[in-house]
Amino acid sequence: MRVYEILFIIAPNVEETDVEALVTQFSEVATNQGARVTKVDRMGRRRLAYPIQKFKDGHYVVLTIEGTGAEIAEIERRMRVTDAIIRHLSVRIDEDLKRAEKFRTRRAAHSRAGRAAAALGSQSAAGESNAEEEE
Amino acid sequence: MSSSRGRDEGRRDDRGPQDRDRDRDRDRDRDRGGRRFVRARKSCKFCADRIDYIDYKDMRLIGPYIPERGKVLPRRISGTCSPHQRMLASAIKRARNAALLPFLTD
């Protein structure tokens, strides 16, 4: 299972209700294709760092999707033909998240080993003074 | 064989295997014409803060690495480690495509 983040920018002249409609529309496209939408992040109206199609700001939305990867093609195709969407960007993140998870577990194991070694060292030095340290 | 080692140790008397970093700094300084002061080594902020993944949407995280001109701050200035610099660079490039960061600023 792959995890993707799809960010898209909706033109600023689109009404708030229509923004909602677009978000639900694209979530439905994803679910119809067999993917699962795990998170919908509406970042709200933001200034663009540079003008896109002469717009200076836009509504940012990020969908986090779990799927096989085939649904991304369909979602992107639909985003390309939707005029209200002025920019979209899909990023596969499961590999990066897995890597981050690996670092975290390794660090946890490392610090646990370090603590154990420290506890052993202080145990041999002083008997019960470090009893609260182990908790 | 022992004569060349002896000469080397004679010139740099406090050389020890435990100070590889200081040794490297000094070698570099000597190459640049013998400046003797040693600057403190910069350290990777991402390693210090235990950041495993740099999200391209997190402007608070990557903002300090964007100078005026909108470029990527080089490693030799920020001291970022190589894996984190790679993550940072790809995050900045993604953010540019998402219009969160400029491609160029004049």
Side-chain angles (χ1 to χ4, degrees):
Chain A
M1 198 57 85
R2 298 174 174 186
V3 184
Y4 291 89
E5 244 177 29
I6 307 173
L7 175 141
F8 54 98
I9 308 174
I10 301 169
N13 53 12
V14 175
E15 292 298 319
E16 210 62 54
T17 50
D18 294 337
V19 170
E20 272 319 298
L22 275 169
V23 173
T24 49
Q25 184 198 322
F26 279 102
S27 316
E28 270 165 21
V29 171
T31 45
N32 288 343
Q33 297 283 317
R36 213 157 57 85
V37 179
T38 49
K39 211 172 117 193
V40 181
D41 180 14
R42 298 169 185 79
M43 289 166 77
R45 198 173 164 138
R46 286 179 62 112
R47 244 192 93 77
L48 303 174
Y50 49 86
I52 299 174
Q53 292 171 24
K54 299 194 176 165
F55 293 123
K56 282 189 159 39
D57 47 7
H59 305 276
Y60 278 71
V61 183
V62 182
L63 296 179
T64 310
I65 282 173
E66 262 176 45
T68 56
E71 30 318 79
I72 298 298
E74 175 62 13
I75 294 169
E76 284 199 333
R77 193 188 67 77
R78 286 191 187 224
M79 284 185 175
R80 268 198 296 276
V81 298
T82 310
D83 287 336
I85 291 180
I86 55 177
R87 186 58 59 97
H88 62 90
L89 175 71
S90 323
V91 178
R92 185 178 168 187
I93 55 166
D94 55 325
E95 284 168 332
D96 292 331
L97 292 180
K98 214 178 282 169
R99 222 180 107 188
E101 183 61 39
K102 195 179 82 184
F103 285 141
R104 216 172 302 134
T105 49
R106 192 192 292 166
R107 194 159 45 229
H110 197 80
S111 69
R112 220 178 302 129
R115 252 202 311 277
L120 267 175
S122 53
Q123 251 168 25
S124 60
E128 62 265 300
S129 64
N130 58 322
E132 70 271 353
E133 236 179 63
E134 287 180 5
E135 289 172 316
Chain B
M1 123 209 167
S2 64
S3 68
S4 68
R5 251 193 75 101
R7 185 165 54 97
D8 211 38
E9 277 178 353
R11 193 173 50 198
R12 299 188 284 163
D13 43 342
D14 61 337
R15 184 195 168 101
Q18 73 273 19
D19 289 63
R20 251 199 343 210
D21 280 354
R22 183 152 38 93
D23 236 25
R24 189 167 50 209
D25 277 346
R26 199 198 304 206
D27 283 349
R28 202 171 46 204
D29 288 344
R30 196 185 50 195
D31 292 344
R32 287 183 190 162
R35 305 281 295 264
R36 282 293 128 176
F37 66 89
V38 177
R39 201 169 275 126
R41 286 207 79 74
K42 301 183 198 87
S43 62
C44 177
K45 281 239 167 50
F46 295 109
C47 287
D49 295 346
R50 303 206 189 323
I51 285 156
D52 299 318
Y53 174 61
I54 301 176
D55 187 5
Y56 69 93
K57 300 184 292 299
D58 195 345
M59 283 303 120
R60 263 214 320 231
L61 196 60
I62 62 183
Y65 297 90
I66 316 291
E68 271 315 84
R69 200 61 215 252
K71 296 186 171 190
V72 182
L73 192 70
R75 233 148 78 63
R76 66 166 187 275
I77 298 185
S78 61
T80 312
C81 72
S82 158
H84 277 124
Q85 181 75 9
R86 245 176 289 139
M87 275 191 246
L88 179 67
S90 59
I92 289 171
K93 286 168 188 175
R94 283 170 181 173
R96 282 177 183 160
N97 276 313
L100 297 168
L101 286 179
F103 278 103
L104 73 167
T105 24
D106 290 316

